[in-house]
Amino acid sequence: MEIVQKIYICCCWKIYNMKELLTRSLSGLLYVSILLLSICINRYTFIGIFLVFGVIAIYEFQKLIYLRNKRLYVIFITLLAVLNIFQDKLYFYLILPVLTLTIITELFLVKDLVTIRIIPMFEKRKYHTSIFYLITSIVFLTLVPYYTGEYQPFIIAGAFLITWVNDTFAYLVGKNFGKHKLLERISPKKTIEGFIGGFVFSLLAGYLIAIFTNTLSIGIWLIISIIMSIFGTLGDLIQSKFKRQAGVKDSGTIMPGHGGIYDRLDSVIFASPFLYAFLQILKHVS
């Protein structure tokens, strides 16, 4: 009788895992399809989908840091509209100062990630972090494909693809070969071997994108791969720290099997200001 019960429990567990995998796969496929479709149609559908994603991500982030403020949505929508409409005219007067503040804020978050156990989120810092980490980073993400003044969907699609490749192979390599923890107190499953695996395969992805899209040179795509891999990993770890401080596994439940929109975008959100800064340097130097 005991053997029958064990077999029954084992079968139920396998069926449950299969359902979880199917749910996760369908949810992920829907997310990727919506994202890539919005990028491919035109600039406005891309901005539109990130208007929706941004509002959801802000809501999820506010829950993590125990903040409720509707003005953040107004700030996000205003910055999204103004910076996208007047990107060239306001570059030195608005975009460059905001980009500088965003990068400084993110570097301070990296410092807190590696030096202290808990990121101090007093009231003023909650607002500052919400604006100059999350909101402006999402806005800069929407500016990336238009950095030359002409919409280039392959640039932002490539950045997302590199991020997904990095995450996927960091997981696969870490699961099968990982022995040394990256930052165990924040994310116990992440390993140094996984990070190296994700980094190497993201370089390979960048190389293939350069060959097949004929957009930027191989060297530039390799630098983009380095930016997305390193800063994307840091963004993932910072989000993990926020979730650990809040005592939750996921930032939301909108995507079954994946969590929230903030969970899916944490890496690319954090990396986007650095990517935008690199592309602007490239634009003004070349």
Side-chain angles (χ1 to χ4, degrees):
M1 188 66 179
E2 188 177 343
I3 295 173
V4 174
Q5 285 179 334
K6 286 182 178 179
I7 294 172
Y8 174 75
I9 292 169
C10 184
C11 289
C12 288
W13 180 249
K14 285 184 177 180
I15 292 169
Y16 172 78
N17 282 338
M18 287 177 65
K19 286 182 177 178
E20 281 286 300
L21 180 62
L22 181 62
T23 301
R24 184 178 175 85
S25 300
L26 291 174
S27 178
L29 181 62
L30 180 62
Y31 162 73
V32 170
S33 300
I34 291 171
L35 182 58
L36 292 180
L37 191 62
S38 73
I39 291 171
C40 292
I41 293 174
N42 57 48
R43 183 189 179 195
Y44 302 105
T45 54
F46 172 61
I47 293 172
I49 201 67
F50 268 91
L51 170 63
V52 177
F53 283 175
V55 168
I56 296 170
I58 292 165
Y59 171 76
E60 292 170 346
F61 183 67
Q62 285 195 83
K63 285 200 304 179
L64 289 182
I65 62 173
Y66 305 104
L67 179 66
R68 287 185 180 181
N69 195 310
K70 293 179 181 178
R71 284 178 293 182
L72 291 176
Y73 301 107
V74 177
I75 292 170
F76 168 60
I77 294 168
T78 303
L79 283 174
L80 184 68
V82 171
L83 269 62
N84 271 282
I85 294 170
F86 303 106
Q87 182 174 181
D88 293 327
K89 294 178 181 178
L90 297 177
Y91 180 75
F92 289 103
Y93 302 104
L94 183 60
I95 291 181
L96 194 57
V98 171
L99 179 62
T100 303
L101 282 170
T102 302
I103 288 175
I104 290 171
T105 301
E106 293 198 347
L107 291 176
F108 269 102
L109 286 173
V110 173
K111 178 189 75 70
D112 289 345
L113 174 72
V114 297
T115 60
I116 58 178
R117 184 171 168 270
I118 296 175
I119 298 175
M121 293 299 288
F122 45 87
E123 204 65 18
K124 285 185 179 179
R125 192 174 184 189
K126 286 181 182 180
Y127 289 105
H128 180 88
T129 305
S130 297
I131 295 169
F132 292 109
Y133 153 59
L134 186 64
I135 289 175
T136 54
S137 293
I138 296 171
V139 172
F140 283 119
L141 181 60
T142 66
L143 295 177
V144 164
Y146 201 70
Y147 79 98
T148 60
E150 182 181 344
Y151 184 61
Q152 300 183 64
F154 281 118
I155 303 296
I156 192 64
F160 271 103
L161 181 61
I162 290 166
T163 302
W164 295 334
V165 168
N166 181 72
D167 291 346
T168 301
F169 283 95
Y171 170 76
L172 292 175
V173 174
K175 184 178 180 182
N176 291 286
F177 305 103
K179 293 181 179 179
H180 303 90
K181 301 297 181 182
L182 188 62
L183 273 175
E184 189 172 7
R185 58 190 171 84
I186 297 167
S187 188
K189 292 183 180 179
K190 282 186 171 54
T191 64
I192 294 172
E193 291 83 359
F195 169 74
I196 294 170
F199 182 80
V200 170
F201 277 96
S202 68
L203 289 175
L204 177 60
Y207 175 77
L208 293 174
I209 291 168
I211 291 175
F212 289 108
T213 63
N214 196 30
T215 48
L216 301 170
S217 69
I218 292 173
I220 291 170
W221 271 112
L222 291 178
I223 294 172
I224 290 173
S225 299
I226 292 168
I227 291 170
M228 299 311 294
S229 178
I230 293 175
F231 289 105
T233 301
L234 288 170
D236 189 27
L237 287 167
I238 285 167
Q239 198 235 21
S240 295
K241 192 158 187 172
F242 279 126
K243 289 191 293 185
R244 187 168 286 273
Q245 288 181 197
V248 297
K249 181 184 177 185
D250 297 313
S251 66
T253 57
I254 195 169
M255 291 180 62
H258 290 272
I261 291 295
Y262 180 42
D263 290 306
R264 292 301 90 210
L265 292 174
D266 56 356
S267 298
V268 75
I269 284 173
F270 191 85
S272 63
F274 298 96
L275 175 59
Y276 182 77
F278 168 68
L279 292 173
Q280 284 299 322
I281 293 168
L282 191 67
K283 174 186 173 182
H284 287 93
V285 168
S286 59

